[in-house]
Amino acid sequence: MSKKLLISDLDARFCRELLVDNSRSAAYRRAGGKAKNATQAAYAILTKAEVQDFFYELKQQQAEDFRDHAQMLRDTLADMITADPADVISDDGSFKPFSEWPLAWRRMLNGFEITELFVGRGEDRKKIGELKKLKLIDRAKVLLMLGNHVSVNAFQETINHTGKVDLAERITRSRKRAGS
């Protein structure tokens, strides 16, 4: 916060609680207020200039945090979309150790199964290999999430209307369509 504001602990807790759901009386109660009429007590707190300044700064910080989280989400989704399988699969087709996997691939891992393969029975049984199965999240869904992100809006339909259409022109076109 840019400046130190002198407000009571109750006022500060009330402002933080008010960010949760914007219900003044509920925020007052959650903040620990004891007045019988929570609505009036909350209103009284909000009339103080110092409280208004503090609340404004909290809202600004919340908006900045939201932008930071949105950017992180966008970056994470973009990393998942552009992840190269060569980052996790060796030239011989085996998986590289997890410790060498880029974070984007580790985030996409949705399940992992190892099955040991054997031949023979009893004491003649020998392990001949392993079958490793990875289940990854659906990259098409990740692409859709990225496209729907509020700052990307790749799938939002937009209609650009330029120019001016006057009423007489609209009536004339309508009559032509109706066959009048």
Side-chain angles (χ1 to χ4, degrees), residues 8-18 23-38 41-42 45:
S8 73
D9 288 341
L10 174 63
D11 293 351
R13 286 192 310 271
F14 168 74
C15 288
R16 288 186 181 96
E17 290 295 335
L18 192 57
S23 170
R24 294 175 182 178
S25 56
Y28 177 77
R29 285 188 207 98
R30 286 193 309 266
K34 303 292 183 202
K36 288 185 180 184
N37 191 330
I45 291 173

Side-chain angles (χ1 to χ4, degrees), residues 151-170:
S151 67
V152 176
N153 285 328
F155 307 117
Q156 181 179 1
E157 291 184 30
T158 58
I159 300 172
N160 294 327
H161 176 61
T162 58
K164 197 175 185 181
V165 178
D166 66 4
L167 183 58
E169 185 180 333
R170 292 171 73 187

Side-chain angles (χ1 to χ4, degrees), residues 13 28 44-45 55 57 60-61 63 67 71 73 78 100 106 122 128 131 133 137 141 143 149 164 167:
R13 286 192 310 271
Y28 177 77
I45 291 173
F55 187 69
E57 287 188 16
Q60 293 299 104
Q61 183 62 49
R67 284 188 299 274
Q71 181 65 45
L73 174 62
E100 294 178 18
R106 294 192 312 263
I128 59 169
L131 174 64
K133 296 180 183 179
I137 61 174
K141 287 182 181 177
L143 186 59
H149 191 281
K164 197 175 185 181
L167 183 58

Side-chain angles (χ1 to χ4, degrees), residues 65-79:
D65 291 347
F66 177 77
R67 284 188 299 274
D68 292 347
H69 285 91
Q71 181 65 45
M72 183 190 74
L73 174 62
R74 199 170 45 245
D75 292 346
T76 300
L77 293 173
D79 287 347

